[in-house]
Amino acid sequence: MEATAPDRRFAEDYRIAREVPRDGLTAWRAAVAAEVPLAPGAVVLDVGAGTGAFAAAFADWFGARVLAVEPAAAMRALIPRTADIEALDGRAEALPVPDGCADAAWLGSVVHHIEDLPAAAREIRRALKPGAPVLIRNSFPGRCTRDLRVRFFPGTARIVDSYPTVEQTCAAFATAGFARVALHAVPQESAPSLSVFADRIRRDTDAKLRSLTDEEFASGMRRLRRAAAQEPDRPAVSWMDLLVLA
């Protein structure tokens, strides 16, 4: 199904507001490399690829071939089309890929969007080669205090509290034979300054911010702008977790 004009605008705003610039992902490259040896030609299954920021990163960083699965047509249309990236229409519970085709699976900020996590775990198990890991980048309840949005918009913590916990995620994947290998907090530079970070915010593209009352959002923006004025050279650094299962 072709994306509508509002969907295309949403996807463009999402890319502006939510994609972390490549030079802000240095720590993520190191964290992934420490967990899985991705040689050129390795296949990475990017589940819920969004607009393709990490699909492009994996291809550039490791010379990997990326199968970028994304159900939203407007988001999928923005995934870079290169010889190393294939954009596919599909969901985590029904992956359009062959059995045993991937050397690693990547789930970036998507676990809380998956309706049936055990079913997704079984599908990912089917798609992975034996012993291949699942790399989950997400915010988890009780572990989000260094998220920039939680810092400046504290009401967003109640949304994160509704996400699957680390333990619930591990339990869902355990039904498909996966076990927890590692859990790391990883920094990322979302913008070169808090002012730029504030300028890029698009409330409608962010479920956490949409959940706030108008007053909570306005108060958070005032708090963010005040911090930006006080520390104009401070980069906008946020932290998320990398959960590794195999």
Side-chain angles (χ1 to χ4, degrees):
M1 182 182 298
E2 187 175 347
T4 64
D7 287 342
R8 290 194 294 270
R9 286 194 296 272
F10 178 91
E12 290 284 1
D13 282 347
Y14 178 95
R15 182 161 61 178
I16 292 169
R18 302 295 304 281
E19 280 194 4
V20 179
R22 180 71 58 79
D23 57 5
L25 295 174
T26 303
W28 281 100
R29 178 178 185 173
V32 169
E35 296 297 339
V36 56
L38 292 173
V43 175
V44 174
L45 176 62
D46 187 353
V47 181
T51 53
F54 272 96
F58 275 102
D60 292 345
W61 288 341
F62 306 114
R65 177 171 172 251
V66 182
L67 303 176
V69 179
E70 170 55 46
M75 305 281 267
R76 195 169 60 249
L78 296 179
I79 295 173
R81 265 54 171 186
T82 72
D84 294 322
I85 302 173
E86 184 176 1
L88 302 169
D89 181 6
R91 300 179 298 109
E93 299 94 334
L95 297 167
V97 300
D99 294 355
C101 67
D103 297 284
W106 173 258
L107 286 76
S109 296
V110 73
V111 163
H112 51 284
H113 293 299
I114 296 174
E115 294 181 6
D116 189 335
L117 205 49
R122 292 191 295 272
E123 265 292 84
I124 291 168
R125 169 62 79 189
R126 177 190 66 78
L128 288 176
K129 296 175 182 178
V134 181
L135 309 170
I136 298 176
R137 170 183 175 265
N138 223 80
S139 296
F140 291 105
R143 296 180 55 88
C144 65
T145 56
R146 291 190 288 178
D147 183 310
L148 275 178
R149 286 167 294 176
V150 172
R151 175 187 168 191
F152 292 107
F153 304 89
T156 58
R158 67 174 178 262
I159 302 303
V160 179
D161 285 344
S162 72
Y163 292 177
T165 64
V166 170
E167 293 74 20
Q168 289 168 336
T169 302
C170 290
F173 276 84
T175 65
F178 292 100
R180 174 172 161 175
V181 174
L183 178 65
H184 309 290
V186 183
Q188 58 194 29
E189 186 176 308
S190 299
S193 69
L194 293 175
S195 179
V196 172
F197 177 72
D199 290 342
R200 290 178 180 169
I201 284 177
R202 303 291 188 277
R203 186 181 182 185
D204 288 346
T205 69
D206 192 318
K208 293 189 185 75
L209 298 182
R210 286 199 307 272
S211 73
L212 301 176
T213 66
D214 289 344
E215 179 52 35
E216 285 178 318
F217 179 73
S219 295
M221 288 302 298
R222 289 193 295 270
R223 193 178 296 114
L224 176 55
R225 291 292 187 188
R226 187 161 56 247
Q230 292 170 349
E231 302 179 90
D233 298 323
R234 180 175 179 173
V237 175
S238 195
W239 292 70
M240 293 182 71
D241 281 323
L242 174 62
L243 173 63
V244 184
L245 308 170

